[in-house]
Amino acid sequence: MKPPTKSNPNAAKSETCIIPRRSRLGSASVNLKILSDSLGVRIAQRGDELFFPDSDPSSVELAKKAVAALELLPIQGDTPKPWEVECLASLLKNDPDIDLESFFSSYRPQLGPDRLVAARTPTQRLYLEAISQNDLVFGLGPAGTGKTFLAVAMAVEAILSGQVSRLVLTRPAVEAGERLGFLPGDLAEKIDPYLRPLYDALSELIAPEKFHRLFERRLIEVAPLAFMRGRTLSGAFVILDEAQNTTGEQMKMFLTRLGPGSKAVVTGDPGQSDLPGGCPRGLKDAMELLPGLESVAFIHFQNRDVVRHRLVRQILLAYQRRDRSRSELKND
């Protein structure tokens, strides 16, 4: 790569920084390219130094901070994944003065010696903080923002550390726009497809042998929401997923299951319900009735909090633009 030229008076002619561990740069330094594209700054590598040719000084400072933060990223293994680097760049673009060391070190569920989960967006950090400090938390927002995954991570940490005696995960058995008809097998096999996303989250957070031990001892329970009626859940960490598909009665039933020493997290997307038209919405009721109650918190995620594939955020924005256009045409 050529060194900075003199053609641009705003160029950062002598700005350099030491590269982090090469494993943090990824294969063929792909993570440097992600930072370069995300922050709009050229990054050139020469030996153990990085250069920022023909770049605005303010952009260079941001890039240097991002490069240094590659060492701070709490990750599995030694190489950050591309989406983790994209989240890092987004953090800095939204708040250039953010203290990343403090951000990444607070409210990190510890699931084992080499397994921890950390917030990737400011809203995720608020969410983890709210779960640790309140008895009932609602995580609301679009798909891909980590609502369920982070709630399960906090629940797993709570049971492994002895803060609660059991973990209960539930969701309504509602089909997403399809009528699947008769499903073969026993009851467990019939409801398994509805609960699979919860099993997926658990499998990412707990080693298989440990999960099976906890499951066999009934310290972890995954069940449809209909099975919650009549129960009192004491000393439990309870998660209700896909809450936008609960009816008013179901939501009331779930919320009144909590017993002494219990903590509950409710996750859902208020704008995406699979309930038939005219059916009362339980999540909407809770959002209207419960704000202001002691030890109840509502955390609202936005498109900028999406941490799945970068296309997910773009897809959500495309649908929102379409919906706005339709609404404007309807009002004209």
Side-chain angles (χ1 to χ4, degrees), residues 129-280:
E129 181 179 356
I131 293 174
S132 69
Q133 296 178 357
N134 294 275
D135 293 331
L136 174 60
V137 175
F138 288 79
L140 309 172
T145 51
K147 304 183 300 295
T148 300
F149 184 80
L150 291 176
V152 173
M154 291 291 282
V156 169
E157 181 191 45
I159 193 170
L160 294 179
S161 63
Q163 299 174 45
V164 297
S165 59
R166 55 182 166 157
L167 166 57
V168 180
L169 302 98
T170 185
R171 60 175 3 211
V174 176
E175 296 159 353
E178 300 178 76
R179 310 308 301 174
L180 301 181
F182 174 78
L183 292 174
D186 58 22
L187 182 60
E189 291 171 326
K190 291 178 189 293
I191 63 177
D192 183 75
Y194 298 103
L195 304 176
R196 179 51 48 187
L198 297 176
Y199 286 112
D200 290 344
L202 286 169
S203 67
E204 285 192 52
L205 295 166
I206 311 179
E209 62 277 6
K210 182 175 291 187
F211 170 74
H212 288 304
R213 285 199 305 271
L214 294 171
F215 197 79
E216 288 171 358
R217 294 166 57 193
R218 298 196 175 187
L219 298 181
I220 293 182
E221 177 185 351
V222 183
L225 180 59
F227 288 15
M228 295 295 104
R229 188 172 295 281
R231 301 181 62 183
T232 299
L233 302 172
S234 301
F237 197 120
V238 193
I239 298 174
L240 170 59
D241 192 33
E242 297 291 332
Q244 74 273 8
N245 289 331
T246 60
T247 64
E249 283 301 313
Q250 285 177 324
M251 179 61 77
K252 179 181 176 183
M253 178 270 292
F254 170 79
L255 294 175
T256 54
R257 298 308 93 202
L258 298 181
S262 288
K263 183 186 289 286
V265 179
V266 177
T267 69
D269 181 356
Q272 187 179 41
S273 175
D274 300 310
L275 291 173
C279 194

